[in-house]
Amino acid sequence: MRHKVVECEVRTRQIAAGFQNCRSAFTAIGDETRQLILQVLLESDLSGIRVGEIALKTHLTRPSVSHHLQILKEAGIVAMRKEGTKNYYYLSVQGTQWKAIADLVNLIYESVQHISEDADR
């Protein structure tokens, strides 16, 4: 029984650390406008898409798209590459928070599973 308590405490600390690590990412993706931009990025070419193209597809202004992309970029959700003076925004696993978010969600899911299994006994 003591082993289960220690395992639960460790998992709880890991979840708390995960929330701390992913806080800005969750805040960034919690906004409906940014979710719309993420959907456009998911549907776009993996090589990236420019602000003007996103603005056309979302019916947002270019300044609004730029503002939201900056928030997503700073939160580690969106990556950007430059080609001369042009910026291309895209989604990537490398250098972003997506893996940390997935790991946190999986850890929470496993915790809920354990709680449910214990409650069924």
Side-chain angles (χ1 to χ4, degrees), residues 3-19 103-118:
H3 174 67
K4 279 193 171 249
V5 171
V6 170
E7 184 179 308
C8 183
E9 289 172 356
V10 168
R11 188 172 291 137
T12 300
R13 282 194 299 276
Q14 289 173 330
I15 289 170
F19 275 128
D103 290 345
L104 175 59
V105 169
N106 286 330
L107 185 59
I108 293 168
Y109 180 76
E110 290 168 8
S111 297
V112 172
Q113 265 187 317
H114 285 288
I115 292 167
S116 296
E117 289 169 2
D118 289 346

Side-chain angles (χ1 to χ4, degrees), residues 39-82:
Q39 287 176 319
V40 169
L41 291 171
L42 283 166
E43 295 167 358
S44 71
D45 185 340
L46 294 176
S47 65
I49 186 170
R50 298 192 57 218
V51 170
E53 294 173 76
I54 297 169
L56 285 174
K57 292 182 179 196
T58 58
H59 305 292
L60 297 167
T61 65
R62 290 173 60 100
S64 178
V65 170
S66 293
H67 167 75
H68 288 289
L69 283 170
Q70 187 62 32
I71 291 169
L72 290 166
K73 188 173 162 254
E74 288 173 359
I77 296 299
V78 170
M80 184 198 70
R81 69 178 171 75
K82 282 185 168 286

Side-chain angles (χ1 to χ4, degrees), residues 17-33:
F19 275 128
Q20 181 68 29
N21 181 43
C22 295
R23 181 167 288 139
S24 64
F26 281 131
T27 300
I29 63 177
D31 179 84
E32 287 182 41
T33 300

